[in-house]
Amino acid sequence: MANKRRHLGEILYKAGKVEKAALIEAIKATKTTKKRLGEILLERGLVDEEVLHKAIAKQFGLKYVNLDTISVPADVASLIPVDLVRRYGIVPLKRQNGTLKLAISDPMDLEMMDTVRMQAGAELECYIASPSKIRTFLEEDVEEEDTQEEDDQLKHSIDATAAELEQLGDFQAEILKASGADATDDGPVVRLVNLVIDNAYYMRASDIHIEPMADRVRVRYRVDGVCVEKDNIPKSMQPALMTRFKILSGMDIAEKRIPQDGRIKRRIGDADIDFRVSALPANHGESVVLRILRPDAVNIGIEALGFAPDNQDMFDRIIKRPNGIFLVTGPTGSGKTTTLYAALQTLNRPDKKILTAEDPVEYNFAGMNQCQVRADIGLTFDKILRAMLRQAPNIILVGEIRDGEVADIAIQAALTGHLVFSTLHTNDACSAITRLIDMGVKPFLVASSIQAILAQRLVRVICKNCKAEDPNPDQHALKILKISPEDIKKKTFYKGKGCSKCSGTGYKGRQGIFEMIEMNTKMRELAFREATATELRRVAVASGMRTLMEDGKLKIFGGVTTPEEVARIAQSEGVVED
């Protein structure tokens, strides 16, 4: 079948490298000797090593490289310790854009790939080479050559091999049957799924995306808010791979027509990590996404969120008020939940009763009463909120205000002596006021109940290990951010060069950029009169509110992030100011 990985014997037979009868005998011998087909063929002298490994490259959709034409720069060779290089029989070829090109002889050695990936701190792009040429290469001294020349040699070797292997075709079904492959052996799939999950955790990823394509299964990790393509899994492994994820997350493996949700709990190192899993039917099969719920992601404390000193003082003061609503706004993935949890952990003391209504409850905290929304049985936000008010809480967290009914109850709670935290999806802080009024909340209730509104985004932080001055910051980004020529001359800009600790990206970790409104008399009057978001914003800025863009500039000038990063967030989220 076109979607299945072709059998090694099929490739060799159609290439005219081995006779049919001899191949069938060799395949049968694999059952009694427990050896791989390639080993049998080499032992019997039916193929030579180079022919075999060119066929293996074709089988796995990789490219064959002739090491006789390759030299490795010293800085690349040093990325992997010599003992690992010799233990696994591998050759690092080149590092580019956070990816390490690696010559290997066994594409099934997942343990080796995982170890090398972790050691080098980079993604792998594997090429196949014959073991004898790898051994010969490792025995010789590696001299540094011009990088462009190396690229040309590598490309020439790969292109020549690709042209040669294009002659290979399909094989008859009887050879596949004779191979006697045990399709029930799920050991390799189990190990592969474990590696995918563990790698994502150690890379600090927030999500794992398993995406079936027409000819492969793409694996991407979202690291610091940006998707990074990690691996391509053969299309033939897709059914077993998706089944394994479904079994782990408690989904129905027979149901492939409708979306499903599940959870996985896995111990990694010394921590028990939860994964929220979603399966969605798509053109080429079900797409699976795992959200990694790591406890340390929300236990960072208020100081690590990235507030400027004046904003942090305001934040600390507002969350200690006895009543009112504190709203945090921003798109999905902007860190709203982390900010709210940081506030709740500061307030979580024996003399305070804290109740939360969440959909779903992602993190469990001692001392808080957390309630899971379950719309399937009628346990909605509004019902939970009404019940909460009979529990005599001091502080209430509503995961999200989604409609006017929930907003009305939250406001009534705030007006009757409770401190209410919640989130709202708006582009900026001032739009939260108009959004609540659009939901049907009476303007005088909005004006009297809201204490403060915080809008936020997340920007990537420059890697401390490779941080360096940037004498030529991106002019397009500077123009978007409206950084004046005087500031460009006076200020020092920084960037990350890219290193093993940041996987060559130049960034490691994220911080927030914020704009915070503390409601004053003028803002309450405008809310009562149903003023537009533009009018509200103008008064808020005049009252001292620092906008998202201005807060981003402070982090640029402080060497925390780059103009490109703040401009990226500004353009994608529509916060560029007039």
Side-chain angles (χ1 to χ4, degrees), residues 60-81:
F60 284 86
L62 302 175
K63 296 176 181 178
Y64 181 86
V65 60
N66 183 359
L67 292 179
D68 293 339
T69 64
I70 299 299
S71 293
V72 179
D75 61 333
V76 175
S78 64
L79 288 174
I80 306 175

Side-chain angles (χ1 to χ4, degrees), residues 255-384:
E255 181 57 75
K256 301 178 181 179
R257 300 164 300 171
I258 60 175
Q260 295 189 71
D261 295 307
R263 290 182 84 106
I264 297 173
K265 182 180 285 291
R266 178 174 171 78
R267 188 162 187 83
I268 303 178
D270 297 328
D272 289 319
I273 308 300
D274 282 326
F275 298 82
R276 197 174 74 210
V277 188
S278 170
L280 177 70
N283 281 347
H284 301 295
E286 290 174 287
S287 172
V288 173
V289 176
L290 290 81
R291 167 65 62 88
I292 304 176
L293 307 175
R294 56 181 77 222
D296 56 346
V298 291
N299 285 325
I300 63 175
I302 292 176
E303 295 77 13
L305 294 175
F307 283 118
D310 55 344
N311 274 347
Q312 183 165 331
D313 290 342
M314 186 190 304
F315 184 85
D316 289 338
R317 185 177 69 254
I318 291 168
I319 65 173
K320 292 175 182 175
R321 291 183 179 177
N323 55 61
I325 292 183
F326 185 7
L327 288 175
V328 180
T329 76
T332 301
S334 60
K336 300 186 297 296
T337 301
T338 300
T339 299
L340 288 178
Y341 276 142
L344 290 184
Q345 286 177 287
T346 300
L347 301 171
N348 188 14
R349 301 192 305 270
D351 62 328
K352 299 288 185 182
K353 180 162 184 175
I354 301 175
L355 295 177
T356 75
E358 303 172 66
D359 183 20
V361 174
E362 295 185 346
Y363 302 96
N364 295 307
F365 294 94
M368 299 185 199
N369 299 274
Q370 296 172 269
C371 188
Q372 167 80 52
V373 171
R374 292 188 59 188
D376 56 327
I377 61 172
L379 189 61
T380 55
F381 272 118
D382 57 301
K383 288 189 177 180
I384 293 174

Side-chain angles (χ1 to χ4, degrees), residues 493-515:
F493 298 87
Y494 295 88
K495 67 177 181 179
K497 293 181 177 180
C499 64
S500 59
K501 292 189 177 181
C502 62
S503 299
T505 63
Y507 299 97
K508 187 174 182 181
R510 289 189 290 176
Q511 277 193 9
I513 56 174
F514 306 93
E515 64 180 32

Side-chain angles (χ1 to χ4, degrees), residues 2-8 11 52-65 102 104 106-108 113 124-129 158 161-162 165-166 168 215-217 229 231-237:
N3 287 340
K4 290 186 177 180
R5 186 169 70 215
R6 294 163 59 193
H7 192 271
L8 180 62
I11 296 171
L52 174 64
H53 282 80
K54 284 182 178 180
I56 290 174
K58 182 71 172 179
Q59 181 188 23
F60 284 86
L62 302 175
K63 296 176 181 178
Y64 181 86
V65 60
L102 188 71
I104 64 174
D106 184 3
M108 292 293 289
M113 294 182 191
L124 301 183
E125 181 180 340
C126 292
Y127 298 84
I128 299 296
I158 291 169
T161 303
L165 294 180
E166 280 300 319
L168 302 180
D215 58 347
R216 59 195 168 98
V217 178
E229 186 166 337
D231 296 295
N232 287 305
I233 297 172
K235 187 72 173 176
S236 60
M237 295 186 69

